[in-house]
Amino acid sequence: RLYALCSATTFVFLSTGPMVSGSLVKGKVGQNITVPCFYTVKRTQDITSMCWGRDSCPVSKCYQTIIWTDGWKVTEQYNSRYMLKGNLLMGDVSLTIVNAEEGDSGIYCCRVEISGWFNDQTSNHKVVIEKARISTASPHIYTSEQTSAHGSTSESSFTITRTWPLVSASEAPQTASGPCSSASDCLDVTSNLQNASVLHPSQQYSENGLYIGIGLCAVLLAILILALFIT
């Protein structure tokens, strides 16, 4: 009977104690994340000690303690990235995680120690730290513009210069794409054409006419010599 009475008394104390509250806090890697936690301060006597720890709140104190305060200032700090930036004297004991990492994800316990049996104010907060998203969008290609004197714009043009290998005179084409730029260029083209193995038809006709003229002169000269000899 005594055991039953003690169990019932313990149950009454636990059931009449403050309920455990909590919240879900999400953030991204590299950000500063704030996990909220407050308690009521109406007078100086209400300022009390508290702690933050990893994992759910145990029956007393904090498990894997991160920070302890005496109500006025931080007395213990186990990681420089975990700090209290709120006004402690006003009951703001929110936890700030500086430069959050994926390993910071998990359950955090905020315990405010209030005098009396099972009067501590506890809250469990779930923190989720996600990786920053990497953009997969294709890069944009921007066309630079030039502004004329009249204020109009036009797309700038780009000239691509290609360097071709040198071609020997025997491999060079015999047709020109345009007139000679100078007299020396024309002389060079004429000499290259004369060195070619195949002659243009007009050149063949001029050479045949030259041979015929020489033959006629030889015949006339022979006739003249024969007439002088007979005379």
Side-chain angles (χ1 to χ4, degrees), residues 5-197:
L5 179 61
C6 291
S7 299
T9 304
T10 303
F11 176 78
V12 171
F13 275 117
L14 291 176
S15 61
T16 56
M19 296 182 63
V20 177
S21 61
S23 63
L24 173 62
V25 179
K26 292 184 178 182
K28 297 187 181 298
V29 173
Q31 294 179 340
N32 293 346
I33 309 301
T34 299
V35 186
C37 187
F38 305 89
Y39 71 96
T40 303
V41 176
K42 295 181 179 179
R43 54 184 180 172
T44 305
Q45 289 79 358
D46 295 333
I47 298 175
T48 183
S49 58
M50 62 83 55
C51 64
W52 276 96
R54 298 294 298 263
D55 211 341
S56 299
C57 295
V59 176
S60 63
K61 308 299 180 181
C62 289
Y63 182 70
Q64 295 183 6
T65 305
I66 296 173
I67 285 180
W68 264 105
T69 78
D70 60 3
W72 301 84
K73 63 182 182 300
V74 174
T75 56
E76 297 180 27
Q77 183 179 12
Y78 294 89
N79 192 320
S80 59
R81 292 194 305 108
Y82 299 144
M83 56 184 64
L84 304 182
K85 293 186 176 183
N87 189 343
L88 300 181
L89 303 182
M90 296 298 294
D92 184 358
V93 290
S94 301
L95 175 68
T96 298
I97 305 175
V98 179
N99 193 19
E101 301 173 355
E102 285 189 86
D104 294 325
S105 298
I107 303 297
Y108 287 77
C109 167
C110 175
R111 176 182 289 276
V112 179
E113 294 185 318
I114 299 176
S115 59
W117 283 44
F118 306 104
N119 286 335
D120 289 354
Q121 174 183 312
T122 58
S123 56
N124 295 321
H125 306 267
K126 183 177 181 180
V127 176
V128 178
I129 308 299
E130 302 174 342
K131 290 183 179 180
R133 294 182 179 179
I134 300 176
S135 176
T136 58
S138 59
H140 296 282
I141 300 176
Y142 298 94
T143 304
S144 60
E145 296 184 350
Q146 295 178 349
T147 305
S148 63
H150 298 286
S152 61
T153 59
S154 60
E155 294 185 358
S156 60
S157 60
F158 301 91
T159 302
I160 302 176
T161 304
R162 297 181 179 178
T163 304
W164 300 98
L166 296 177
V167 181
S168 61
S170 60
E171 297 176 350
Q174 296 181 6
T175 59
S177 59
C180 300
S181 58
S182 63
S184 59
D185 293 340
C186 292
L187 292 176
D188 292 339
V189 173
T190 303
S191 61
N192 291 335
L193 292 176
Q194 289 178 352
N195 293 330
S197 58

